PDB file of all heavy atoms in Angstrom:
ATOM      1  N   ARG A 290     199.799-109.392  98.675  1.00 64.00           N
ATOM      2  CA  ARG A 290     201.190-109.218  99.014  1.00 64.00           C
ATOM      3  C   ARG A 290     201.733-110.392  99.714  1.00 64.00           C
ATOM      4  O   ARG A 290     202.850-110.639  99.488  1.00 64.00           O
ATOM      5  CB  ARG A 290     201.225-108.019  99.888  1.00 64.00           C
ATOM      6  CG  ARG A 290     200.802-106.752  99.257  1.00 64.00           C
ATOM      7  CD  ARG A 290     200.712-105.522 100.409  1.00 64.00           C
ATOM      8  NE  ARG A 290     199.917-104.479  99.798  1.00 64.00           N
ATOM      9  CZ  ARG A 290     199.675-103.290 100.539  1.00 64.00           C
ATOM     10  NH1 ARG A 290     199.974-103.252 101.803  1.00 64.00           N
ATOM     11  NH2 ARG A 290     199.024-102.417  99.964  1.00 64.00           N
ATOM     12  N   GLU A 291     200.950-111.120 100.480  1.00 81.00           N
ATOM     13  CA  GLU A 291     201.605-112.189 101.221  1.00 81.00           C
ATOM     14  C   GLU A 291     200.715-113.433 101.115  1.00 81.00           C
ATOM     15  O   GLU A 291     199.573-113.396 100.907  1.00 81.00           O
ATOM     16  CB  GLU A 291     201.635-111.799 102.758  1.00 81.00           C
ATOM     17  CG  GLU A 291     202.540-110.574 103.133  1.00 81.00           C
ATOM     18  CD  GLU A 291     204.003-110.989 103.070  1.00 81.00           C
ATOM     19  OE1 GLU A 291     204.333-112.190 102.978  1.00 81.00           O
ATOM     20  OE2 GLU A 291     204.895-110.075 103.019  1.00 81.00           O
ATOM     21  N   PRO A 292     201.209-114.653 101.441  1.00 88.00           N
ATOM     22  CA  PRO A 292     200.482-115.844 101.598  1.00 88.00           C
ATOM     23  C   PRO A 292     199.296-115.701 102.505  1.00 88.00           C
ATOM     24  O   PRO A 292     198.236-116.304 102.247  1.00 88.00           O
ATOM     25  CB  PRO A 292     201.449-116.894 102.033  1.00 88.00           C
ATOM     26  CG  PRO A 292     202.836-116.513 101.507  1.00 88.00           C
ATOM     27  CD  PRO A 292     202.683-114.973 101.556  1.00 88.00           C
ATOM     28  N   SER A 293     199.541-114.898 103.661  1.00 90.00           N
ATOM     29  CA  SER A 293     198.447-114.821 104.487  1.00 90.00           C
ATOM     30  C   SER A 293     197.163-114.048 103.895  1.00 90.00           C
ATOM     31  O   SER A 293     196.085-114.287 104.387  1.00 90.00           O
ATOM     32  CB  SER A 293     198.864-113.955 105.761  1.00 90.00           C
ATOM     33  OG  SER A 293     199.516-112.814 105.346  1.00 90.00           O
ATOM     34  N   SER A 294     197.472-113.242 102.999  1.00 87.00           N
ATOM     35  CA  SER A 294     196.471-112.422 102.375  1.00 87.00           C
ATOM     36  C   SER A 294     195.544-113.456 101.489  1.00 87.00           C
ATOM     37  O   SER A 294     194.327-113.234 101.579  1.00 87.00           O
ATOM     38  CB  SER A 294     197.070-111.385 101.434  1.00 87.00           C
ATOM     39  OG  SER A 294     197.778-110.522 102.044  1.00 87.00           O
ATOM     40  N   ALA A 295     196.170-114.331 100.803  1.00 88.00           N
ATOM     41  CA  ALA A 295     195.309-115.331  99.981  1.00 88.00           C
ATOM     42  C   ALA A 295     194.562-116.178 101.024  1.00 88.00           C
ATOM     43  O   ALA A 295     193.457-116.431 100.681  1.00 88.00           O
ATOM     44  CB  ALA A 295     196.311-116.149  99.106  1.00 88.00           C
ATOM     45  N   LEU A 296     195.098-116.633 101.995  1.00 92.00           N
ATOM     46  CA  LEU A 296     194.416-117.504 102.889  1.00 92.00           C
ATOM     47  C   LEU A 296     193.411-116.749 103.661  1.00 92.00           C
ATOM     48  O   LEU A 296     192.228-117.335 103.992  1.00 92.00           O
ATOM     49  CB  LEU A 296     195.445-118.208 103.893  1.00 92.00           C
ATOM     50  CG  LEU A 296     196.530-119.065 103.139  1.00 92.00           C
ATOM     51  CD1 LEU A 296     197.419-119.585 104.304  1.00 92.00           C
ATOM     52  CD2 LEU A 296     195.822-120.381 102.614  1.00 92.00           C
ATOM     53  N   ARG A 297     193.628-115.550 103.900  1.00 91.00           N
ATOM     54  CA  ARG A 297     192.579-114.766 104.520  1.00 91.00           C
ATOM     55  C   ARG A 297     191.328-114.580 103.743  1.00 91.00           C
ATOM     56  O   ARG A 297     190.253-114.583 104.247  1.00 91.00           O
ATOM     57  CB  ARG A 297     193.141-113.313 104.811  1.00 91.00           C
ATOM     58  CG  ARG A 297     192.224-112.215 105.387  1.00 91.00           C
ATOM     59  CD  ARG A 297     192.759-110.785 104.977  1.00 91.00           C
ATOM     60  NE  ARG A 297     192.642-110.472 103.635  1.00 91.00           N
ATOM     61  CZ  ARG A 297     193.489-109.663 102.961  1.00 91.00           C
ATOM     62  NH1 ARG A 297     194.529-109.154 103.561  1.00 91.00           N
ATOM     63  NH2 ARG A 297     193.250-109.402 101.673  1.00 91.00           N
ATOM     64  N   GLU A 298     191.505-114.450 102.480  1.00 88.00           N
ATOM     65  CA  GLU A 298     190.350-114.423 101.491  1.00 88.00           C
ATOM     66  C   GLU A 298     189.537-115.722 101.568  1.00 88.00           C
ATOM     67  O   GLU A 298     188.337-115.614 101.568  1.00 88.00           O
ATOM     68  CB  GLU A 298     190.731-114.052 100.154  1.00 88.00           C
ATOM     69  CG  GLU A 298     191.417-112.583  99.949  1.00 88.00           C
ATOM     70  CD  GLU A 298     190.371-111.626 100.441  1.00 88.00           C
ATOM     71  OE1 GLU A 298     189.262-111.570  99.900  1.00 88.00           O
ATOM     72  OE2 GLU A 298     190.824-110.807 101.310  1.00 88.00           O
ATOM     73  N   LEU A 299     190.266-116.939 101.625  1.00 92.00           N
ATOM     74  CA  LEU A 299     189.454-118.223 101.706  1.00 92.00           C
ATOM     75  C   LEU A 299     188.653-118.245 103.085  1.00 92.00           C
ATOM     76  O   LEU A 299     187.574-118.646 103.077  1.00 92.00           O
ATOM     77  CB  LEU A 299     190.383-119.284 101.557  1.00 92.00           C
ATOM     78  CG  LEU A 299     191.228-119.324 100.387  1.00 92.00           C
ATOM     79  CD1 LEU A 299     191.952-120.712 100.284  1.00 92.00           C
ATOM     80  CD2 LEU A 299     190.235-119.302  99.002  1.00 92.00           C
ATOM     81  N   VAL A 300     189.269-117.609 104.128  1.00 94.00           N
ATOM     82  CA  VAL A 300     188.481-117.674 105.407  1.00 94.00           C
ATOM     83  C   VAL A 300     187.349-116.780 105.303  1.00 94.00           C
ATOM     84  O   VAL A 300     186.191-117.023 105.830  1.00 94.00           O
ATOM     85  CB  VAL A 300     189.551-117.201 106.519  1.00 94.00           C
ATOM     86  CG1 VAL A 300     188.659-117.065 107.793  1.00 94.00           C
ATOM     87  CG2 VAL A 300     190.549-118.055 106.797  1.00 94.00           C
ATOM     88  N   SER A 301     187.462-115.631 104.675  1.00 91.00           N
ATOM     89  CA  SER A 301     186.241-114.718 104.419  1.00 91.00           C
ATOM     90  C   SER A 301     185.292-115.395 103.651  1.00 91.00           C
ATOM     91  O   SER A 301     184.109-115.163 103.916  1.00 91.00           O
ATOM     92  CB  SER A 301     186.831-113.331 103.833  1.00 91.00           C
ATOM     93  OG  SER A 301     187.682-112.709 104.637  1.00 91.00           O
ATOM     94  N   ASN A 302     185.606-116.011 102.588  1.00 90.00           N
ATOM     95  CA  ASN A 302     184.618-116.735 101.805  1.00 90.00           C
ATOM     96  C   ASN A 302     183.780-117.699 102.589  1.00 90.00           C
ATOM     97  O   ASN A 302     182.521-117.937 102.467  1.00 90.00           O
ATOM     98  CB  ASN A 302     185.195-117.521 100.625  1.00 90.00           C
ATOM     99  CG  ASN A 302     185.643-116.608  99.416  1.00 90.00           C
ATOM    100  OD1 ASN A 302     185.244-115.454  99.426  1.00 90.00           O
ATOM    101  ND2 ASN A 302     186.340-117.087  98.406  1.00 90.00           N
ATOM    102  N   ALA A 303     184.604-118.536 103.455  1.00 93.00           N
ATOM    103  CA  ALA A 303     183.908-119.447 104.368  1.00 93.00           C
ATOM    104  C   ALA A 303     182.816-118.790 105.256  1.00 93.00           C
ATOM    105  O   ALA A 303     181.797-119.297 105.517  1.00 93.00           O
ATOM    106  CB  ALA A 303     184.929-120.257 105.090  1.00 93.00           C
ATOM    107  N   TYR A 304     183.307-117.694 105.824  1.00 94.00           N
ATOM    108  CA  TYR A 304     182.436-116.863 106.715  1.00 94.00           C
ATOM    109  C   TYR A 304     181.170-116.393 105.946  1.00 94.00           C
ATOM    110  O   TYR A 304     180.073-116.559 106.539  1.00 94.00           O
ATOM    111  CB  TYR A 304     183.214-115.561 107.309  1.00 94.00           C
ATOM    112  CG  TYR A 304     182.432-114.651 108.170  1.00 94.00           C
ATOM    113  CD1 TYR A 304     182.431-115.001 109.565  1.00 94.00           C
ATOM    114  CD2 TYR A 304     181.803-113.650 107.798  1.00 94.00           C
ATOM    115  CE1 TYR A 304     181.608-114.243 110.407  1.00 94.00           C
ATOM    116  CE2 TYR A 304     181.007-112.831 108.651  1.00 94.00           C
ATOM    117  CZ  TYR A 304     180.964-113.161 109.907  1.00 94.00           C
ATOM    118  OH  TYR A 304     180.243-112.352 110.823  1.00 94.00           O
ATOM    119  N   ASP A 305     181.322-115.947 104.833  1.00 91.00           N
ATOM    120  CA  ASP A 305     180.111-115.565 103.992  1.00 91.00           C
ATOM    121  C   ASP A 305     179.216-116.687 103.575  1.00 91.00           C
ATOM    122  O   ASP A 305     178.027-116.339 103.298  1.00 91.00           O
ATOM    123  CB  ASP A 305     180.721-114.837 102.784  1.00 91.00           C
ATOM    124  CG  ASP A 305     181.258-113.272 103.024  1.00 91.00           C
ATOM    125  OD1 ASP A 305     181.063-112.882 104.004  1.00 91.00           O
ATOM    126  OD2 ASP A 305     181.726-112.785 102.029  1.00 91.00           O
ATOM    127  N   ALA A 306     179.834-117.879 103.603  1.00 92.00           N
ATOM    128  CA  ALA A 306     178.936-118.945 103.323  1.00 92.00           C
ATOM    129  C   ALA A 306     178.385-119.619 104.580  1.00 92.00           C
ATOM    130  O   ALA A 306     177.937-120.843 104.545  1.00 92.00           O
ATOM    131  CB  ALA A 306     179.844-119.955 102.581  1.00 92.00           C
ATOM    132  N   ASP A 307     178.386-118.897 105.727  1.00 94.00           N
ATOM    133  CA  ASP A 307     177.794-119.333 106.889  1.00 94.00           C
ATOM    134  C   ASP A 307     178.458-120.543 107.505  1.00 94.00           C
ATOM    135  O   ASP A 307     177.895-121.284 108.390  1.00 94.00           O
ATOM    136  CB  ASP A 307     176.324-119.663 106.751  1.00 94.00           C
ATOM    137  CG  ASP A 307     175.418-118.547 106.508  1.00 94.00           C
ATOM    138  OD1 ASP A 307     175.788-117.337 107.062  1.00 94.00           O
ATOM    139  OD2 ASP A 307     174.531-118.583 105.653  1.00 94.00           O
ATOM    140  N   ALA A 308     179.697-120.641 107.283  1.00 95.00           N
ATOM    141  CA  ALA A 308     180.555-121.737 108.008  1.00 95.00           C
ATOM    142  C   ALA A 308     180.694-121.393 109.530  1.00 95.00           C
ATOM    143  O   ALA A 308     180.839-120.190 109.861  1.00 95.00           O
ATOM    144  CB  ALA A 308     181.966-121.836 107.325  1.00 95.00           C
ATOM    145  N   THR A 309     180.743-122.383 110.162  1.00 95.00           N
ATOM    146  CA  THR A 309     181.038-122.119 111.637  1.00 95.00           C
ATOM    147  C   THR A 309     182.428-122.694 112.003  1.00 95.00           C
ATOM    148  O   THR A 309     182.983-122.375 113.149  1.00 95.00           O
ATOM    149  CB  THR A 309     180.057-122.879 112.675  1.00 95.00           C
ATOM    150  OG1 THR A 309     180.193-124.487 112.334  1.00 95.00           O
ATOM    151  CG2 THR A 309     178.612-122.482 112.334  1.00 95.00           C
TER     152      THR A 309
END
Side-chain angles (χ1 to χ4, degrees):
R290 303 170 188 173
E291 296 284 347
S293 59
S294 301
L296 297 175
R297 174 201 74 209
E298 293 302 307
L299 298 185
V300 171
S301 296
N302 279 356
Y304 181 83
D305 284 352
D307 290 326
T309 60

